[in-house]
Amino acid sequence: MSRKIHVEILDDAEAVGREAAARILAVVERKPEAVLGLATGSTPIPAYRELVKLAHERKVSFAGVKTFNLDEYLGLSGGHPQSYRQYMNKYLFAHLDIPLWQTALPDGAASDPEAECAAFEARIHAAGGVDLWLLGIGSNGHIGFNEPGAPRDCRTRVASLAPSTIEASAKDFGGAAGVPRQALTAGVATILEAREILLLATGAGKAPAVAAALEGPITPQLPASYLQAHPSCAFMLDRAAASKLVKP
Ligand code: F6R
């Protein structure tokens, strides 16, 4: 079966960052009121750094752009230093001319998390849907906090973190014991509704998940494999993350 996901293999994480930033900027140049879906984590940091640089060099305004982030830890307010809101402000929003009120993350401290998830979905819908959603991938194949077992039709909700995800986040919380056990996350169906998807993966630790997502069966056991059914999805990989592909 021919692969529907477009795969681009680049030398290293910096090159992935440069290419990804160019792709994102092209969306905003084409459509100044673009709706972007965004991710946190270590993978997109070079892309955000490069995006800021490019936007300044080419004088591209983000004043009309709206953004939606994948997820936020349950229980963390946007003021918490480990919140994804703080991450986004630090790495991206503070350096662009985008008004903060046009940037949305689920509120981890909402008094009614279920209602917050529904409101997040409604806000995406009201914005006209997401033009491009930038994703990372967990070493267990998760996208957002849609961990193994997440069904294809799940939407924004409170989800439990897999043990390997808790382990991966331990460094940010002074040990695994401090990591929140749950998060508000855009669902698989929410992500798949984006008109375009761009998944970034760097480093050898992601190679097995990347190979399974691209070359394995579509299965809830590896949520990134759902992307195979998306009409416009690309993976940008460095050589290490692509190293387990049978057909690079
Ligand atoms: C982040 C997110 C996660 C990460 C994934 C990879 O908002 O939803 O799915 O994209 O865990 O994280 P890093 O890039 O830190 O390896």
Side-chain angles (χ1 to χ4, degrees), residues 127-138:
V130 171
D131 291 301
L132 173 74
W133 209 317
L134 182 72
L135 302 178
I137 181 171

Side-chain angles (χ1 to χ4, degrees), residues 38-44 70-71 84 135-138 142-145 206:
L38 299 174
T40 57
S42 54
T43 311
L70 284 169
D71 37 29
Y84 286 159
L135 302 178
I137 181 171
H142 74 205
I143 48 174
F145 280 123
K206 300 292 174 65

Side-chain angles (χ1 to χ4, degrees), residues 38-45 48 69-73 84 87-88 105 133-147 165 168-169 171-172 184-186 191 199-202 206:
L38 299 174
T40 57
S42 54
T43 311
I45 292 175
Y48 292 150
N69 261 80
L70 284 169
D71 37 29
E72 182 61 276
Y73 291 110
Y84 286 159
Y87 168 109
M88 289 308 302
L105 289 88
W133 209 317
L134 182 72
L135 302 178
I137 181 171
S139 55
N140 65 355
H142 74 205
I143 48 174
F145 280 123
N146 296 290
E147 302 285 16
T165 304
S169 305
K171 58 180 183 327
D172 301 326
L184 286 67
T185 183
I191 294 169
L199 183 145
L200 309 184
T202 55
K206 300 292 174 65

Side-chain angles (χ1 to χ4, degrees), residues 1-5 247:
M1 199 186 83
S2 69
R3 186 147 69 204
K4 204 157 85 176
I5 296 179
K247 285 188 260 164

